Amino acid sequence: MADVFNREAGVRRRNNVVVSGIAGARPMLFSHGFGCSQEMWRAVATDFEKDHEVVLFDLVGAGDSDRAAYQRAKYDSLNGYADDLVELVEALDVVDVVFVGHSVSAMIGVLAAIRAPERFGALVLVGPSPRYLDDDGYVGGFSTADIDTMLDTLDLNYLGWSEAMAPVIAGNADRPEVGQELTESFCRVDPAIARHFARVTFLSDNRRDLPLVTTPTLVLQCTDDPIAPLPVGSYVHQQIAGSEFVVLTATGHCPNLSDPEQVSAAIRAYLR
């Protein structure tokens, strides 16, 4: 019993796990994207506290996670983060989990659900991309030159890149506060960890994993998404058998910030 308690405590500490809502109700677990933390989910997660057990956490290296747990070799692919996610749901001993993952966390959730399908009851993938690079017959949204330039800029001046790119990623130019919040989030991340995570994220290719998903899945796509354009969301939907595909009227790549009500409504409609 002590070992179980110590394991759960260790995982909670490592990932800065915060649990709220109704204990024992169907659990919902929210996972953030690159350069962010669990704070990015506050407006959506709060809406589900009245009828779910809500679990928020920070990926290792982000937010208030235990930075000492960051091991470059472990997190040299998304598999390290997926291992953490499986360990988290096992430590909390939850099943029928509704996993809500934004951006790169969508693929982390896919990998975790493939490894431990008995733990996951639904996947909600918000702005997912299994591969950011264009390929023969596949539109990822970025050329090799695009990615190389972005990564080089990150290496040279991460804070400058953050200030320039976060508003573009957020979209909604008529609401600068959305881009400003994302900029501030990016700037709070350790630049060395951010640079490594960026390479892991933007050079990943999880297309072959999608057909292996057996968990019921909802794909949420924004319009005018500069990171995961419409063909990417459509591809994810086509590759995950039985998935549902919803295109939000929200624009940009961060509807959890810009249009949380739309995200909540789409999730609730799917879970009915």
Side-chain angles (χ1 to χ4, degrees), residues 11 44 74 82 94 102 166 180 186 202 230 248-249 270:
V11 169
V44 177
K74 176 179 180 179
V94 289
H102 173 235
Q180 182 60 35
F186 279 14
F202 289 104
L230 185 59
L248 305 173
T249 59
Y270 180 70

Side-chain angles (χ1 to χ4, degrees), residues 8 16 24 38 48 68 70 101 103 114-115 128 147 163 169 175 180 192 200 205 239 243 248 258:
E8 179 180 349
N16 185 33
Q38 62 181 265
F48 289 92
Y70 190 84
S103 195
I114 291 170
R115 296 176 192 189
I147 295 295
E163 292 174 354
I169 293 169
R175 296 158 62 196
Q180 182 60 35
V200 171
D205 187 349
Q239 294 298 308
S243 64
L248 305 173
S258 64

Side-chain angles (χ1 to χ4, degrees), residues 101-249:
H102 173 235
S103 195
V104 65
S105 270
M107 290 304 110
I108 293 171
V110 161
L111 293 172
I114 291 170
R115 296 176 192 189
E118 71 282 359
R119 294 283 180 178
F120 294 89
L123 296 178
V124 180
L125 311 181
V126 184
S129 178
R131 177 182 167 97
Y132 295 88
L133 277 166
D134 296 334
D135 198 4
D136 291 340
Y138 172 81
V139 177
F142 295 88
S143 68
T144 299
D146 292 334
I147 295 295
D148 287 345
T149 298
M150 179 182 67
L151 295 177
D152 287 345
T153 304
L154 276 163
D155 287 341
L156 291 170
N157 184 359
Y158 172 70
L159 293 180
W161 176 88
S162 298
E163 292 174 354
M165 288 304 300
V168 175
I169 293 169
N172 297 276
D174 59 327
R175 296 158 62 196
E177 67 276 9
V178 178
Q180 182 60 35
E181 181 167 354
L182 190 62
T183 300
E184 292 172 358
S185 177
F186 279 14
C187 291
R188 284 193 293 267
V189 181
D190 182 309
I193 293 176
R195 288 193 292 266
H196 184 219
F197 191 27
R199 290 186 178 277
V200 171
T201 298
F202 289 104
L203 298 178
S204 62
D205 187 349
N206 296 104
R207 289 176 294 177
R208 292 183 179 180
D209 298 305
L210 299 178
L212 303 179
V213 175
T214 58
T215 304
T217 300
L218 169 65
V219 179
L220 293 183
Q221 171 74 44
C222 288
T223 58
D224 298 322
D225 187 330
I227 300 298
L230 185 59
V232 178
S234 180
Y235 177 88
V236 173
H237 164 54
Q238 292 167 6
Q239 294 298 308
I240 299 180
S243 64
E244 292 190 22
F245 185 45
V246 173
V247 179
L248 305 173
T249 59

Side-chain angles (χ1 to χ4, degrees), residues 72-88:
R72 190 178 178 91
K74 176 179 180 179
Y75 300 109
D76 210 30
S77 79
L78 297 184
N79 290 309
Y81 298 99
D83 288 343
D84 285 354
L85 177 53
V86 171
E87 190 174 9
L88 193 159

Side-chain angles (χ1 to χ4, degrees), residues 6 20 41 43 66 77 85 100 168 172-173 231 250 253 267:
N6 289 336
S20 60
W41 281 115
D66 181 4
S77 79
L85 177 53
V100 186
V168 175
N172 297 276
H253 187 60
I267 295 173

